[in-house]
Amino acid sequence: MAGSLNVTARLAWRNLWRNHRRTLIMLLAIGTGVWAMVFMSALMRGMTDQVLLNGLHNLPGEAQIHHPQYRADPSVVNSMPMPAGTLYEALGEAPISAWSARVRVPAVIASERESRGVTLLGVDPVTEAGVGALPDEIVEGRFLNGPEDRGLVIGASLARRLDTDLGKRVVIMSQDPENNVADRGTRIVGIYRARLEGTEDQLVYAGRNVLQEMLAVGDQVSEVAVTAGDYRRVSAWLPALQQAAGDDLEVLSWMQLQPFLDSMLGVQDGFTLIFMVVIFVALSFGLVNTLVMAVFERTREIGLQQALGVRPTLIMLQFLLESLFLLVLGLGAGNLLAWLTIKPLESGIDISMVAEGMEMMGMGTTLYPALQTSDMWMSTAIVVILGLVASLLPAWRASRLDPVRALNKT
Amino acid sequence: MNVNWRLAWRNLWRHRRRTWLTVAAMVFCNTLLIFMISLQLGTYDMMINNSLAMVTGHVQVQQKDYLENQRMRDSVPAVEALAASVASELGLDTVAARGQAFALASSEDRSFGVLLAGVQPDREPGVSSLPGLVSEGRYLAADDRDAIVIGAVLAKNLKVGLGDELTFLGSGRDGSFAAGLATVVGIVHTGMDEIDRGIAHVPLAWFQETFSMGDHGHTVVVRMPDLALVEGAMQRVAALLPEGQNLVALDWDALQPGLRQAIRSDLASGWVMYAVFIVLVAFSVLNTQLMSVLERTREFGVMLALGMGPGRLAKLVTIETFLLSLLGLLLGLLFGGLVVLWLSHAGFSYPGMEEMAAEFNMDSRFYPEVSFVALMWGPSTVFLFTMLAAIYPSLRLYKLEPVQAMRAV
């Protein structure tokens, strides 16, 4: 049996190269298809990653702890105490790598000439850096020195709209828990640039302690952002944290905080699969055609093999193997090509030509293709499995030929 | 019918299965392209119209620097008179004046920074769909003074309902301190949180008074009955603008540059995908035609020996490809057209799409657009490329040596 398998495989391999032009065209077609599957899915993954990372950037940490009412009513009234006791200990457990407590209130910022509605963030620069929530780049001045820093850091776009500049004074107004307007004059000590202009307009950074003092909330904070470094593995540590936080606080993962981002990942997975299958279907016509032709051309030969006692299953296997060799070669070429084209692009593709449109979709001006091995495996599985399924019919027909008639065919 | 054409047609059916498989590849690709292109184009119109109908309108007149910086002092003088003259020039009543200012809005319990829009109560419903979406109370009326209509999320955040008062603190056009008090008369519910969080409409007259605007406003908004009319209207509006006041007319493309770019980038990524399908089908046709040429080597040898020039043989193969592609084109058009026609009535949705649609301000069902461009674009490109694919097999005919060819197996 092993011997006949060996012979069959060798026959299939030789048959493949009998008509090398046809085989090469088919290889070209399969290779292009596989390349498209892998390349396009890497591009799409790259886009989703960008949207996701930008989304998570505005919502630092993979999980956040709030007062249960805070999300429905993001007011300073619904603040929470600084983590202490069991929660504080739970936040120190691995794999949690950093956490940051912040005061986050809606506010109005007024320069000499203009005023704007913004989100005022009272932060501790050191812990914010831990959760990766610092502004992307400080273009003028400096970031806050610590939670006691009395300065203000605003976005470049906001500075332009407010008609103000580094070192100028602005007034920030918000509401304290008694609903009195709390305001204070302060100096702009830094101007930052963000990936999205919307962020620059919206987020204004102040020292946490300074803001707590202005709002008269003691050491209460609005939210605690928690990170463990990988947004795909939140479920591993979230339950423990929820347990430690108790019933008085709400601990939610980014999937719950931003269901849109989560559903986008789902849509993306489904879309990648559909895309690959559709490309494969476009390919399969050519594949089936090639095999049908091969069977047709070799009718006499198949008849002879049968007359000499080769079992139908072996003939079927011969055609299936021929198809498999073709698919595997095409897969190798396609994946290699995809790898070769994606690797040089991984440092980023400049898409600033359509930057504002990208910003509408929540992306930056550079696209980073993300080659995932799972996508390569998925395309391989689709091509091999569906390819063999598509080859079944021609192979089966070949095995069912009537030897006498086949031999007589001219 | 010419002999060549008859011969080509018969040759095509010598291998029925092969021909049908090749045609099927084209039909599949064409149907897919028609479906995707018409879906894409349908989505764009929806995207543009939905985004513009809420706030932006099709054309706006603004101070030159207002779009970029949105500063209070970059204002349009005599804004209501200007709106009236734009309206009479265009012969439309869907023209309205607006003013905008940021202010800290405070209710009894809460304070939030809001973007306050001063609107002409009788004109605004003509340019924006928001007045029609008032779910509680009513929209502003012409004789309202200190009335305000706010979005549902803002109302919730401020913890106010109909009849409650809101105080506003902000700065006026001249930098002076501005304060006002207005009563909530209506609440708008669009279902899109981002928009419901931002709506705050007050009468323009009260707005001008509170923020020391005089007769100034910030924009004149024009809503055109059709996207195609925008360009003509732009020139007429621009000609109307008074000299020396630094006013400009901007179309929706300038007002929301993201919109067209989003469309362009979507089109670009779509094109990469389409190109792949088209290339795959072209390979398939190339393969078929090459096979049919190779297996007829003997036959072609005989024909050459009988004195038929290779040019005529090449013509024959080209006609075969043409007929094959034409069959694919027609059947593809038929199938694709039927699919799209049906979907343009039934609509099309994708699981998980609803959240995404809400995020991008779109309907959760897509309705493909049935148009000549959407129908013909894909199939005619496929046709072109399959014809190109036939060049190589035809060229091989010129290399045939009659004697050798006749001996081929």
Side-chain angles (χ1 to χ4, degrees), chain A residues 257-271:
Chain A
L257 290 163
Q258 294 271 51
F260 159 68
L261 291 179
D262 193 31
S263 74
M264 194 180 69
L265 271 190
V267 168
Q268 149 97 80
D269 280 343
F271 191 76

Side-chain angles (χ1 to χ4, degrees), chain A residues 19 21-23 25-26 28-30 32-33 35-36 39-40 43-44 47 72-75 77-78 106-108 110-118 159-164 173-181 259-260 263-264 266-272 274-275 277-286 288-290 292-293 296-297 352-358 360-362 397, chain B residues 14-15 17-22 24-26 28-29 32 47 51 66-74 101-115 156-159 169-176 256-266 269-270 272-273 276-277 279-281 283-284 286-288 290-291 294-295 350-353 355-357 359-360 392 396:
Chain A
N19 202 327
R21 251 185 224 95
R22 180 169 71 194
T23 304
I25 293 177
M26 250 344 268
L28 216 57
I30 298 176
T32 313
W35 169 82
F39 187 76
M40 291 298 285
L43 276 192
M44 291 190 288
M47 285 191 209
D73 182 12
S75 147
V77 177
N78 295 320
V108 169
S111 69
E112 286 163 35
R113 317 202 63 130
E114 294 286 331
S115 42
R116 294 270 135 182
V118 294
R160 203 171 60 235
R161 291 184 201 278
L162 285 174
D163 209 357
T164 188
M173 287 183 277
S174 190
Q175 176 205 25
D176 71 14
E178 270 74 55
N179 193 34
N180 298 315
V181 172
F260 159 68
S263 74
M264 194 180 69
V267 168
Q268 149 97 80
D269 280 343
F271 191 76
T272 311
I274 292 180
F275 175 72
V277 169
V278 164
I279 289 214
F280 177 81
V281 174
L283 265 181
S284 65
F285 292 103
V288 174
N289 222 342
T290 309
V292 168
M293 284 304 29
F296 178 80
E297 279 170 6
S352 47
M353 264 176 68
V354 287
E356 278 165 275
M358 290 300 170
M360 256 182 85
M361 300 197 263
R397 285 177 58 89
Chain B
R14 282 203 201 156
H15 286 287
R17 196 170 288 121
R18 179 170 72 191
T19 303
W20 278 124
L21 271 169
T22 315
M26 283 190 267
F28 173 76
C29 186
L32 201 74
M47 230 161 95
S51 313
Y66 187 73
L67 182 66
E68 196 186 346
N69 299 324
Q70 295 198 1
R71 292 170 181 157
M72 279 289 271
R73 66 165 189 277
D74 295 330
F102 272 96
L104 182 73
S106 304
S107 64
E108 217 157 284
D109 298 325
R110 292 282 185 271
S111 299
F112 274 95
V114 295
L115 178 62
K156 205 179 83 188
N157 285 346
L158 286 168
K159 297 201 165 180
L169 296 179
S171 38
R173 179 170 179 270
D174 50 6
S176 63
Q256 287 208 357
L259 206 53
R260 179 156 288 179
Q261 290 181 357
I263 290 172
R264 207 176 291 152
S265 60
D266 190 62
S269 67
V272 177
M273 225 184 290
V276 170
F277 291 134
V279 166
L280 288 180
V281 172
F283 275 135
S284 184
L286 172 62
N287 217 346
T288 307
L290 189 67
M291 281 308 100
L294 287 180
E295 77 185 20
Y350 180 86
M353 211 63 179
E355 288 92 340
M356 294 201 36
E359 186 82 358
F360 293 121
Y392 174 66
R396 284 190 55 84

Side-chain angles (χ1 to χ4, degrees), chain B residues 152-165:
Chain B
V153 174
L154 184 59
K156 205 179 83 188
N157 285 346
L158 286 168
K159 297 201 165 180
V160 290
L162 295 181
D164 288 340
E165 285 187 333

